[in-house]
Amino acid sequence: MALALASAEPAAFELLNAGGKSDLVLLCDHASNRIPRQLNNLGISPQQLNSHIALDLGAADVARFLSASLDAPLILSNYSRLMIDCNRLPESNGSILHSNDGIAIPGNLGLSAADCLQRRQLFFDPYHEAINNLLLARAWHTTCLLSIHSFTPFLFGADRPWHIGVCYEDDSVYASQWLTALRSLLDVPVGDNQPYSIETDVDYTLPFHGRRHAIDAVMLEIRQDQISHLLGARRWSEIIARAWQQSNHSAIPDL
Ligand SMILES: [Zn+2]
């Protein structure tokens, strides 16, 4: 049966504060754990659906707070990374996962090429078209992309000590400013391309839009236990906003 969204189900993305004056454009690839009703949560349990395997816990809250405090546009994906990962090359191994962190995803098994294409057309393409359109609309404006993610403190048997990580490609100018500013504000470990670096053959969002529009792009990864409640998300959004402000960027309203 063809996949279709019910009329009450939201569009693939949410765009907030499109006219925001900040130099930052915020993105949240893994903002939601929503699965279309038709797909029965892909056969995973409610606990699994509320874990890092389906979304970046707390990332959307941090991004929303930042959008408001910095007057920055924000685009969030409205569906789970388990439908199709908006930060992975379509049709790559990481695009529609059969399992994640050892948890099988039954609803992603046995998909045809047409099924995969449909997920791309329903979720991936509209999200990235929205990003592209936003960047075209503000082509006159200095822009740095900032994508907000969160990571699990423990993965594949290893502790991950960083509370936040700055992830970037070699050509980023802003990354070192983010690192310096965050380290000056924090006395906890700040990852330099940890827990991940950005890999052009793995990551999609920042390499694709950064190159296409010739703009700087940085990903912030926040440890999920720091932001899994609203107070923590607000606290971290304030730290990130202060770090941005401390880097002496123009067009930033007072916090
Ligand atoms: Zn993520």
Side-chain angles (χ1 to χ4, degrees):
M1 186 169 56
L3 178 60
L5 296 179
S7 58
E9 291 181 296
F13 65 90
E14 182 178 1
L15 168 60
L16 293 174
N17 201 6
K21 300 287 189 296
S22 173
D23 290 355
L24 284 179
V25 166
L26 301 163
L27 304 174
C28 201
D29 297 328
H30 302 143
S32 175
N33 62 352
R34 183 177 284 107
I35 305 288
R37 276 176 216 154
Q38 186 187 336
L39 295 183
N40 240 340
N41 289 346
L42 297 173
I44 63 175
S45 71
Q47 289 101 317
Q48 290 163 345
L49 192 62
N50 285 317
S51 76
H52 68 278
I53 71 166
L55 81 164
D56 284 3
L57 291 162
D61 294 326
V62 173
R64 288 176 194 276
F65 281 133
L66 271 174
S67 172
S69 66
L70 291 177
D71 190 23
L74 165 63
I75 298 180
L76 310 102
S77 169
N78 267 339
Y79 286 84
S80 171
R81 65 190 307 167
L82 294 179
M83 290 306 301
I84 183 167
D85 192 327
C86 286
N87 191 33
R88 294 289 178 269
L89 290 161
E91 289 146 23
S92 68
N93 287 340
S95 174
I96 300 176
L97 293 172
H98 293 176
S99 68
N100 193 0
D101 200 9
I103 309 293
I105 317 296
N108 284 354
L109 299 177
L111 297 179
S112 67
D115 293 332
C116 296
L117 179 63
Q118 194 177 31
R119 289 197 189 185
R120 176 177 178 164
Q121 291 170 336
L122 276 174
F123 306 111
F124 182 97
D125 288 346
Y127 174 69
H128 287 290
E129 279 169 26
I131 296 171
N132 188 49
N133 289 339
L134 174 66
L135 295 176
L136 287 173
R138 52 179 279 144
W140 53 271
H141 196 306
T142 302
T143 291
C144 173
L145 289 174
L146 185 70
S147 69
I148 304 294
H149 291 257
S150 71
F151 64 97
T152 177
F154 193 75
L155 190 69
F156 302 128
D159 277 321
R160 301 155 109 193
W162 316 279
H163 286 210
I164 189 169
V166 179
C167 311
Y168 53 93
E169 292 187 273
D170 288 344
D171 56 356
S172 171
V173 172
Y174 286 73
S176 63
Q177 296 178 15
W178 278 112
L179 274 168
T180 302
L182 286 167
R183 283 177 168 159
S184 77
L185 290 169
L186 296 165
D187 57 4
V188 294
V190 176
D192 181 349
N193 262 339
Q194 297 282 8
Y196 308 105
S197 57
I198 294 179
E199 308 285 347
T200 49
D201 56 347
V202 177
D203 294 278
Y204 182 87
T205 300
L206 295 187
F208 180 78
H209 294 288
R211 291 215 171 87
R212 188 173 204 183
H213 295 274
I215 52 179
D216 206 280
V218 169
M219 174 163 74
L220 292 183
E221 286 274 359
I222 309 163
R223 214 172 70 185
Q224 69 184 34
D225 57 341
Q226 298 288 309
I227 56 172
S228 55
H229 46 88
L230 272 181
L231 271 181
R234 178 179 280 284
R235 174 177 169 265
W236 276 92
S237 75
E238 288 169 357
I239 292 167
I240 293 164
R242 212 165 294 137
W244 176 249
Q245 205 171 33
Q246 195 165 296
S247 301
N248 292 319
H249 293 288
S250 59
I252 299 170
D254 289 337
L255 293 177

